[in-house]
Amino acid sequence: MSEAREFDLIVFGASGFTGRLVAEYVQERYGTDGGLRWALAGRNESKLEQIRDELGIDPGVAILKADVTDADSLRALARRTRLVLTTVGPYQLYGEPLVAACAGAGTDYVDLCGEVAWMRQMVDKYQEQAQSSGARIVFSCGFDSIPFDLGVWFLQEQARAKLGAPLPRVKGRVRRMKGTFSGGTAASLQATLAAARDAEVRKLLVNPFALTPGFEGPKQPPAAEIEYDQTLGSWAAPFIMAAINTRNVHRSNFLLGHPYGEDFVYDEMILTGPGDKGEATAQAVANDRSLTGDKAPKPGEGPGKEERENGFYDVLFLGETADDRTLAASVSGDKDPGYGSTSRMITESALCLLRDATDTPGGIWTTAPAMGDKLIRRLEQNAGLRFALED
């Protein structure tokens, strides 16, 4: 990609709640004197100027007008920068014109998408063009699915080094989590439910291998009911993000050439504790419909700074080799998952593509094969994440 482009990074959607957090983090971490040429883009220039002023961003950071309903404006945007970071969702409603613009211009792209059927449609339509142009398009660069995709990759790398074998069975278990899901996540889920009226979309949504075109692996655990995990001594409930995270983990295995094995089995659940209380909590989690009801958070809404700063998450990954040896790892974050941590993860993904993973070729990627340990290092150094083996 041409180094002569005007910008390294454009934050598209900076007037939204999460986009504003991204802009704030870019300013705090990288500013305007660290060699990063960046700009803010969206449809409302005056609102972006107001946000730039409120966040104390240098007036030299450009404000660019672009609209998801104006494909020409998106093509012009893509030609001016090395990478576009977009928080404008739901992506199945607003995302394709920007993906098309970046794939055509050879411009890198990162987003927060958790919409499996749309992602598969984008793979089918733009993979070859992205490979030809050199555009690295990476979906799901937030809480869905970085801690999970990179968590499994980290565990598998450790297994190869310490056990000399892959882990064909891995369980992802959320041990602790404090924070809220974003309004964008709720909007994406609601848009997905609406799209599921289409039979082809429904087929993709229920297929664990929806993102591995031409490959179907073994039957996967449904993880749709509560269960008692004897190994961990805890009840477990279905985890709402599993439907996207598991698909991304399988795509990573696919893109890497199946180092986890073609017989790889993976599921995710959330632990709720032992005894009657743990069982009752698991049942309540399984029956929760808060992200699809009238009280779901709306795009543009979100928690205050104190709530974001006090959030956290801790995810356990338990792996087993074909000969029953085990290995465990964890991924933790020190901010709330939906906002504080997500805004840092997507920004560091963008910077990793620009500065570290420069040899990754064009195509539509997941985070593990595109960036792997390079992104883990960034997340640990800058974003408050920790990847560790468990005793």
Side-chain angles (χ1 to χ4, degrees):
M1 196 186 310
S2 173
E3 294 290 335
R5 293 196 180 184
E6 186 178 356
F7 302 106
D8 299 314
L9 167 67
I10 291 176
V11 179
F12 182 57
S15 59
F17 192 89
T18 304
R20 180 188 174 112
L21 293 178
V22 168
E24 183 176 27
Y25 178 72
V26 175
Q27 171 64 21
E28 289 175 355
R29 174 65 64 179
Y30 299 101
T32 53
D33 56 0
L36 181 69
R37 303 166 302 157
W38 63 292
L40 304 176
R43 62 184 176 180
N44 189 326
E45 291 172 287
S46 62
K47 192 170 182 181
L48 290 171
E49 288 170 356
Q50 180 183 344
I51 288 167
R52 183 179 62 186
D53 294 342
E54 289 173 354
L55 295 177
I57 297 172
D58 190 304
V61 171
I63 302 297
L64 309 175
K65 184 175 175 59
D67 193 317
V68 294
T69 64
D70 181 352
D72 287 340
S73 74
L74 297 178
R75 284 190 287 268
L77 193 77
R79 288 193 297 267
R80 296 178 72 178
T81 185
R82 295 173 60 205
L83 184 146
V84 177
L85 181 163
T86 175
T87 60
V88 180
Y91 295 92
Q92 60 197 290
L93 301 181
Y94 307 120
E96 183 174 355
L98 184 56
V99 171
C102 289
T107 300
D108 295 342
Y109 165 107
V110 295
D111 73 13
L112 299 173
C113 185
E115 302 158 45
V116 172
W118 179 81
M119 290 160 62
R120 173 57 187 270
Q121 291 163 1
M122 297 303 96
V123 169
D124 291 344
K125 290 180 76 169
Y126 299 107
Q127 170 74 5
E128 289 186 8
Q129 187 178 22
Q131 287 175 321
S132 297
S133 72
R136 285 93 56 82
I137 294 171
V138 189
F139 301 131
S140 308
C141 292
F143 185 62
D144 51 329
S145 297
I146 280 179
F148 304 90
D149 187 31
L150 286 180
V152 173
W153 182 85
F154 173 80
L155 180 63
Q156 294 284 0
E157 289 292 292
Q158 294 295 319
R160 285 202 298 173
K162 295 182 179 301
L163 305 179
L167 303 165
R169 174 67 174 114
V170 173
K171 296 193 294 185
R173 297 294 182 263
V174 179
R175 288 191 291 203
R176 297 164 62 244
M177 185 171 71
K178 180 182 179 184
T180 56
F181 292 107
S182 72
T185 294
S188 293
L189 179 58
Q190 292 162 12
T192 295
L193 292 174
R197 298 188 186 103
D198 182 281
E200 290 303 310
V201 170
R202 283 199 304 275
K203 269 193 227 176
L204 287 173
L205 292 176
V206 300
N207 182 3
F209 298 96
L211 298 181
T212 62
F215 175 79
E216 291 281 338
K219 185 176 180 180
Q220 302 292 306
E225 304 289 339
I226 70 169
E227 64 178 47
Y228 185 75
D229 191 312
Q230 295 282 355
T231 304
L232 299 173
S234 174
W235 285 91
F239 180 49
I240 194 166
M241 310 310 298
I244 174 60
N245 293 335
T246 55
R247 276 58 169 174
N248 276 323
V249 169
H250 285 300
R251 180 162 176 81
S252 289
N253 188 33
F254 170 77
L255 292 174
L256 289 165
H258 294 108
Y260 313 164
E262 292 193 0
D263 57 347
F264 178 61
V265 175
Y266 175 67
D267 71 323
E268 293 175 0
M269 301 189 81
I270 184 166
L271 301 178
T272 58
D276 292 343
K277 182 179 179 182
E279 183 178 9
T281 303
Q283 198 62 63
V285 170
N287 293 330
D288 182 23
R289 300 293 182 269
S290 60
L291 285 181
T292 57
D294 294 338
K295 295 182 179 179
K298 303 293 189 293
E301 297 178 352
K305 185 171 184 178
E306 183 178 355
E307 188 176 346
R308 297 196 304 271
E309 294 290 325
N310 291 333
F312 56 81
Y313 53 90
D314 174 31
V315 186
L316 175 68
F317 298 92
L318 296 163
E320 190 173 302
T321 64
D323 57 0
D324 299 326
R325 290 176 292 161
T326 61
L327 194 67
S330 63
V331 178
S332 58
D334 67 356
K335 300 286 187 293
D336 85 292
Y339 297 94
S341 194
T342 280
S343 59
R344 287 159 171 76
M345 285 190 276
I346 189 172
T347 304
E348 293 300 335
S349 297
L351 270 291
C352 187
L353 282 175
L354 289 170
R355 295 182 172 178
D356 307 327
T358 54
D359 56 348
T360 299
I364 298 182
W365 294 97
T366 45
T367 54
M371 292 173 273
D373 60 345
K374 298 181 180 71
L375 182 53
I376 287 177
R377 283 197 297 273
R378 276 193 169 272
L379 296 173
E380 290 192 320
Q381 290 169 1
N382 301 331
L385 273 71
R386 182 172 181 267
F387 293 72
L389 282 178
E390 296 266 311
D391 294 332

